[in-house]
Amino acid sequence: LDPRPCACGRTLPKLRDIQGRATDFLTASDGGRVHALALIYVLRETPGIESFRVVQEAVGSVRVLVVAGDRFAAESERRVVDGVRARLGEGTRVAIERVERLDRERSGKFRYVISRI
């Protein structure tokens, strides 16, 4: 909230700024922004993935953390890599890391996509 009074004279509270979920976007190799859902759908539809998280720390590179089930195989990995590259650019480096579990944030929310760019 903004503690300063409104120039119009109203005394109701006013907002200083609105912050959204900027980290729910990834940056494609060409610099364009890609909504997280574009990758979430690819991963949700891939056989054998029980849970996942996509982490981007640099343009042109992503890590896909996967809690893999029994059906997760080489074909599943190829599907993930192809799907990510189709959305972020063919030259995108995709590292798939199998993990035992993925923790929630302190808030209790689970983040499927984290952009550190």
Side-chain angles (χ1 to χ4, degrees):
L1 293 176
D2 191 341
R4 297 173 294 173
C6 185
C8 74
R10 289 190 175 185
T11 59
L12 297 170
K14 68 179 194 172
L15 296 175
R16 182 180 357 224
D17 63 2
I18 298 173
Q19 298 177 355
R21 294 183 173 204
T23 58
D24 284 358
F25 288 88
L26 296 160
T27 303
S29 295
D30 65 2
R33 290 177 54 145
V34 177
H35 196 279
L37 286 175
L39 294 182
I40 289 171
Y41 290 139
V42 170
L43 292 155
R44 281 188 178 164
E45 295 171 4
T46 301
I49 294 180
E50 294 180 5
S51 184
F52 63 87
R53 177 173 290 137
V54 178
V55 181
Q56 185 176 40
E57 295 172 336
V59 175
S61 178
V62 294
R63 290 186 305 129
V64 182
L65 309 176
V66 173
V67 176
D70 295 337
R71 295 178 49 215
F72 190 74
E75 176 57 34
S76 300
E77 287 194 26
R78 277 192 297 278
R79 187 173 178 169
V80 169
V81 170
D82 291 347
V84 170
R85 287 181 176 159
R87 285 148 185 87
L88 296 182
E90 288 303 318
T92 301
R93 289 184 315 275
V94 182
I96 297 175
E97 300 175 20
R98 292 182 187 220
V99 296
E100 293 295 316
R101 71 179 211 280
L102 293 165
D103 294 328
R104 295 182 176 274
E105 299 291 311
R106 280 191 209 146
S107 67
K109 294 182 180 181
F110 185 85
R111 291 179 66 189
Y112 292 98
V113 172
I114 298 172
S115 175
R116 295 193 174 119
I117 294 179

